[in-house]
Amino acid sequence: MKAKPETEKRDAAAAGAFTGEQAVERIDAKNSVKDIMEKVMQGVFLFCGLVAIGFVLVISVYLIISGIPAIREVGLLNFLGGTTWSPANKTEPSFGILPMILTSVYGTAGAIIIGVPIGFLMAVFLSKVANRRVAAVIREVVDLLAGIPSVVYGLVGMMVLVPGIRNVFNLAAGDSLLAAIIVLAVMILPSIISVSETALNAVPREYEEASLALGATEIETYFRVSAPAAKSGIAAAVVLGVGRAIGEAMAILMVAGNVANMPSLLSSVKFLTTAIAGEMSYAGGLHRQALFSIGLVLFVFIMLINAALNFFFKRDKEGN
Amino acid sequence: MNEHESITAPLSARRRAWNGTMRALLYAAAAFICALLVFLIGYILYRGIPNLSWQFLSSEESVINDIQGILPAIINTVYVVFWTLLIILPLGVGSAIYLTEYATNKKLVSIIEFATETLAGMPSIIFALVGMMVFCQALGLGTSLIAGSLTLVMMTLPTIIRTTQESLKTVPQSYREGSLALGSGKWHMIRTVVLPSSIDGIVTGCILAVGRIVGESAILMFTAGMSMSMAQFGGGSIGEFFSNFFSAAGSTLTVSLYVYAKERADFGLAFAVAVVLLIIAFVINIAAKLAGKKLKKN
């Protein structure tokens, strides 16, 4: 009485899991609905996989097509090497973006010079020195810092840094390269900290133990053994920071002043990104096309940085 | 450290000085960053909370009645998040499934991964430019929240692919083999075995994507406009409803913060929006942590 339902159940289970019979059926009738479904789904997934490639192609093609005309009209050398940007000038418009290129380079370099040492020290602190609970709390807050939208950084920079710089240096206006550099430095901190910390955590414990056993102090071990061992990870963090800083638009649009001067620390400046973000809404004709060309220049910069990043990450993987 | 010094010869003065300096620098950097964090968050709350009221959150701006409100921005943000997720979820998860379950061609996989990394490193202003050209102009969507969502799909694709892929990798190979050995086809296996066991990773990816969407400003400024008034989402007839629903445009929370700060110099209201954004970022961080923890447990 008891055994019967159990065998029934087993049979039902076997039927439900469709082992032998259905497999045979599948071999016999290859065009069954199920097979078609399998084929269709494979196609659907392949399509999804190719979407990323499609997006990159669309971005590249559109930027190149829309960026070339203005460069052609102005001339590549005049465009990249010209020092005056006055696109709205009716009689003699000029489209030189050298000030913006230099501003973007200086701004990024400044943010790296300030952000990387602090971020690196913080990563060493979190990875090696701080006790676990303190490190966990700090990490949470750093993550929150990474989640704050860039316009919020811009707003705080506008209200705190800009007046501060105006008062300290006695300027007419505080919107300046310096303000932008500080905002960028704060914005790249979270990614520098987390990537360097991951690299430092991956250093084999034996290296550090060997160093300590040879008589080095803990601090010496962190800086002379752990850090060099994690150097490609830290390099990746730096390159990631460069990518972030050079691509940021909205936050520095709010603090940089947006006049296309040749860059100097305390003058109002215009970045590649802020030129696009700030002028697109009212630009027309050749001016608008020139903004697309700026986008193309920025795109080339970013692709170079991505290539560098790939190089470091790959070396890191092979190294381990 | 003290123990350590006692068993070796005392450090030379130079080494001691170096050690002391570096240790001081470590603590100084940590203290500096902590102070910065406390200042940033404290300052935003201090300037923003006095301007935050229920009326501000729940009403539409009206010049005649002298009412300031960000309800349209909140609705636009939700609308954009909804559409972006609706499109990105099948695409991103499907892409991750292709990479981990189907792909056999190594070259294709490395090209797809290169494309994903390229998208991940692309600054939003580039997406904004391309989104404006492709969706607003070439595809004729005009300045609309839908065009913004489609552009955001490009931006968030790498996030979803990466987190889904990570959680797919944690599904034990034996589950797949068991399912296949019982005669199920690949799609059946993915649907019934692989996807249910990796749902946590997909959820984490969605939460992270929501964070990026809410925080994005340049893309939405270019594609969805900066209008602060309520967009027309509905309409009388069905045709009208659809055309309104898909052509709705306006500013999201981040864009309205920018408008308040930069165009109207109304900093109190800008900080009030900043508080809202800060709270959203905080909630999203916690949610992502919780989902991630669940993922690790499984």
Side-chain angles (χ1 to χ4, degrees), chain A residues 17-19 26 34 37-38 41-42 45-53 55-56 58-59 62-63 66 117-119 121-122 124-125 129 138-145 147-153 155-156 158-160 175 186 189 193 212 215-220 222-224 243 247-250 253-255 258 273 276-277 280 288 291-292 295-296 298-299 302-303 306 310, chain B residues 1 4 8 11 15 18-19 22-23 25-27 29-30 32-34 36-37 39-41 43-44 47 90-91 93-95 97-98 102 108 111-112 114-119 121-127 129-130 132-134 137-138 153-154 157 161 181-188 190 211 214-215 217-218 221-222 254 257-258 261-262 267 270-271 274 277-278 281-282 285 289:
Chain A
F18 56 99
T19 45
R26 253 181 56 190
K34 226 180 95 194
M37 191 66 193
E38 288 288 332
M41 287 320 288
Q42 181 161 6
F45 287 129
L46 175 63
F47 169 77
C48 292
L50 295 178
V51 161
I53 302 180
F55 283 168
V56 172
V58 166
I59 290 172
Y62 264 89
L63 280 177
S66 61
I118 298 175
L121 287 171
M122 187 67 181
V124 173
F125 181 80
V129 181
I138 296 180
R139 231 174 263 135
E140 299 281 319
V141 192
V142 171
D143 280 352
L144 181 62
L145 197 65
I148 296 177
S150 56
V151 281
V152 175
Y153 284 106
L155 178 64
V156 175
M158 230 173 136
M159 300 311 291
V160 179
D175 310 76
V186 174
L189 269 179
I193 293 173
L212 290 173
T217 64
E218 282 171 0
I219 297 283
E220 282 166 344
Y222 303 147
F223 285 102
R224 302 232 157 119
E248 179 52 45
M250 296 303 283
L253 179 61
M254 296 166 86
V255 298
N258 306 314
T273 49
I276 304 174
M280 188 53 89
R288 193 178 170 83
L291 293 181
F292 287 125
L296 182 60
L298 186 64
F299 179 70
I302 291 290
M303 290 311 270
N306 275 355
N310 268 341
Chain B
M1 169 125 180
H4 181 81
T8 51
L11 299 177
R15 265 179 86 189
W18 189 86
N19 270 308
M22 290 321 255
R23 184 173 282 273
L25 277 178
L26 276 181
Y27 281 98
F32 173 74
I33 290 182
C34 291
L36 181 75
L37 292 168
F39 167 75
L40 262 176
I41 294 168
Y43 186 75
I44 294 167
R47 295 284 309 257
L91 266 186
V93 173
S95 180
I97 287 176
Y98 179 76
Y102 281 97
L108 183 61
I111 294 175
I112 293 176
F114 173 75
T116 318
E117 275 159 29
T118 308
L119 285 180
M122 200 69 75
S124 59
I125 190 79
I126 298 267
F127 285 117
L129 268 183
V130 174
M132 190 182 76
M133 285 189 277
V134 175
Q137 291 165 8
V153 164
M154 292 210 261
L157 185 67
I161 292 184
L182 287 169
S184 89
K186 208 154 194 175
W187 162 234
H188 190 261
I190 290 167
V214 172
S217 43
M221 200 169 93
F222 273 50
T254 44
L257 189 159
Y258 178 79
K262 197 73 184 164
F267 300 114
F271 273 105
L277 287 168
L278 196 66
F282 184 67
N285 260 10
K289 286 268 150 61

Side-chain angles (χ1 to χ4, degrees), chain A residues 60-225:
Chain A
S60 317
V61 167
Y62 264 89
L63 280 177
I64 291 169
I65 290 179
S66 61
I68 293 286
I71 293 181
R72 261 204 169 145
E73 192 147 324
V74 180
L76 185 63
L77 278 182
N78 283 337
F79 186 67
L80 294 179
T83 54
T84 345
W85 172 259
S86 53
N89 190 332
K90 287 252 162 55
T91 47
E92 236 178 286
S94 105
F95 298 91
I97 63 163
L98 188 64
M100 299 173 207
I101 295 180
L102 289 180
T103 302
S104 278
V105 171
Y106 289 175
T108 305
I112 293 292
I113 289 169
I114 298 176
V116 166
I118 298 175
F120 167 70
L121 287 171
M122 187 67 181
V124 173
F125 181 80
L126 287 178
S127 164
K128 310 288 178 195
V129 181
N131 76 32
R132 213 169 267 180
R133 204 173 287 165
V134 173
V137 172
I138 296 180
R139 231 174 263 135
E140 299 281 319
V141 192
V142 171
D143 280 352
L144 181 62
L145 197 65
I148 296 177
S150 56
V151 281
V152 175
Y153 284 106
L155 178 64
V156 175
M158 230 173 136
M159 300 311 291
V160 179
L161 278 177
V162 170
I165 288 173
R166 189 184 56 212
N167 292 339
V168 170
F169 295 99
N170 247 335
L171 302 168
D175 310 76
S176 58
L177 180 59
L178 181 63
I181 286 177
I182 296 173
V183 169
L184 286 176
V186 174
M187 289 184 73
I188 63 173
L189 269 179
S191 44
I192 299 226
I193 293 173
S194 70
V195 176
S196 323
E197 199 201 337
T198 313
L200 284 167
N201 285 341
V203 173
R205 187 78 193 119
E206 292 84 0
Y207 289 16
E208 287 159 12
E209 280 162 3
S211 160
L212 290 173
L214 286 170
T217 64
E218 282 171 0
I219 297 283
E220 282 166 344
T221 304
Y222 303 147
F223 285 102
R224 302 232 157 119
V225 176

Side-chain angles (χ1 to χ4, degrees), chain B residues 232-251:
Chain B
Q232 192 79 41
F233 286 105
S237 66
I238 292 182
E240 205 181 312
F241 175 82
F242 271 100
S243 76
N244 280 340
F245 195 73
F246 285 109
S247 64
S251 61

Side-chain angles (χ1 to χ4, degrees), chain A residues 41 45, chain B residues 89-90 92-98 100-102 160 163-165 167-172 175-176 179 186-203 295 298:
Chain A
M41 287 320 288
F45 287 129
Chain B
L89 255 185
V93 173
S95 180
I97 287 176
Y98 179 76
T100 41
E101 309 289 331
Y102 281 97
I160 302 274
T163 46
T164 310
Q165 246 187 316
S167 68
L168 286 176
K169 277 178 192 157
T170 62
V171 177
Y175 285 21
R176 297 191 178 88
S179 170
K186 208 154 194 175
W187 162 234
H188 190 261
M189 170 197 86
I190 290 167
R191 190 160 47 90
T192 55
V193 177
V194 176
L195 277 184
S197 355
S198 58
I199 194 78
D200 291 337
I202 298 171
V203 170
L295 175 70
N298 292 352

